[in-house]
Amino acid sequence: MAQWQGPAPHPDGVRLQKVLAQLGFGSRRVCEELIADGRVTVNGGVAELGRRVQVETDAVTVDGVPVGVAPGLVYYLLHKPAGVVTTASDPEGRPVVVDLVPDDPRVFNVGRLDTETEGLLIMTNDGELTQRLTHPSFGVPKEYLAAVEGIPSRAALRTLRDGVELEDGRTAPAKASLVADGATVTPGGDDVSLLKLTIHEGRNRQVRRMCAAVGHPVTRLVRTRIGPLADRQLKPGEWRELTTAEVRSLAESSAPGPR
Ligand code: URA
């Protein structure tokens, strides 16, 4: 017996290659090839050329990665200010991130930032994407700007890159560089430097612990990138919806398999 593969094709839907081309997969010709090569599924079944779809209801994937946005799912990019807690509620009554974005539908933060850490945080009701983005095995890169005490030596930077021994084990290789002209002297006469760090893990207070371990405690920490997502316009406390293309690139960046 044939396997049921979701709703019947819509005779009045939009041609699949047109939908994919509009989503940025390439020209219609390229998208026809994707379909002909069997890389596109609709509602779980491999799509055939000429297939029409209803973008609001049909579930389309390319190479196993969902395209478009399923109805009811929302995705926000928030610039978390310092002092706001990354939980749904705080027993101590401190401000929480869910209060900074629309409350209907209910959304949750993807991963955590320390209360004192600022910067980009994804909020969504898409549990599957959340799981993929936060699962250590997918290792989505996250970039931070850290103001640190002192001026890290080349050796300290190398240690940050190669791996730092922490009490919960050695950190995975990371990117670490001094931001040019990032070194300044405070009015008190102390040196401070600006470090750019990219890590793939998500351990508790990881950047702060890594910097402290090489002798340069963090005085301010801002997350500036999550995988493909960055936004220099977003001010602390502001949020915006992710575009369909951004949701797709996030899903791709956290997809299983070679990257
Ligand atoms: N590393 C930290 O130390 N703190 C954060 O909030 C995120 C990464």
Side-chain angles (χ1 to χ4, degrees), residues 33 35 38 99 105 110 115 133 141 143 152 196 198 229 259:
E33 280 170 20
I35 299 167
D99 290 342
V110 178
T115 306
L133 286 172
E143 180 190 276
K196 184 154 60 166
T198 306
L229 289 187
R259 261 170 285 143

Side-chain angles (χ1 to χ4, degrees), residues 11 20 24 52 78 101 122 174 193 210 212 221 247:
L20 294 176
R52 287 174 183 267
L78 169 70
V101 292
I122 299 168
S193 315
M210 286 170 73
L221 187 58
V247 175

Side-chain angles (χ1 to χ4, degrees), residues 2-14:
Q3 209 183 347
W4 186 78
Q5 289 176 339
H10 303 278
D12 55 348
V14 185

Side-chain angles (χ1 to χ4, degrees), residues 85-96 99 112 115:
V85 187
T86 321
T87 49
S89 66
D90 182 54
E92 293 174 39
R94 293 171 295 182
V96 293
D99 290 342
R112 283 167 180 271
T115 306

Side-chain angles (χ1 to χ4, degrees), residues 112-118 144 199 203-209 218 221 223:
R112 283 167 180 271
L113 289 176
D114 304 333
T115 306
E116 288 320 311
T117 301
E118 305 154 57
Y144 296 86
I199 60 171
R203 300 197 220 166
N204 191 29
R205 300 180 73 80
Q206 181 166 343
V207 172
R208 292 176 193 276
R209 290 191 293 140
V218 168
L221 187 58
R223 181 152 71 187

Side-chain angles (χ1 to χ4, degrees), residues 19-27 30-31 34 62 65-68 248 252:
V19 171
L20 294 176
Q22 283 170 346
L23 285 169
F25 280 91
S27 66
V30 167
C31 294
L34 285 177
V62 175
V65 176
V67 306
R248 201 182 70 229
E252 280 168 358

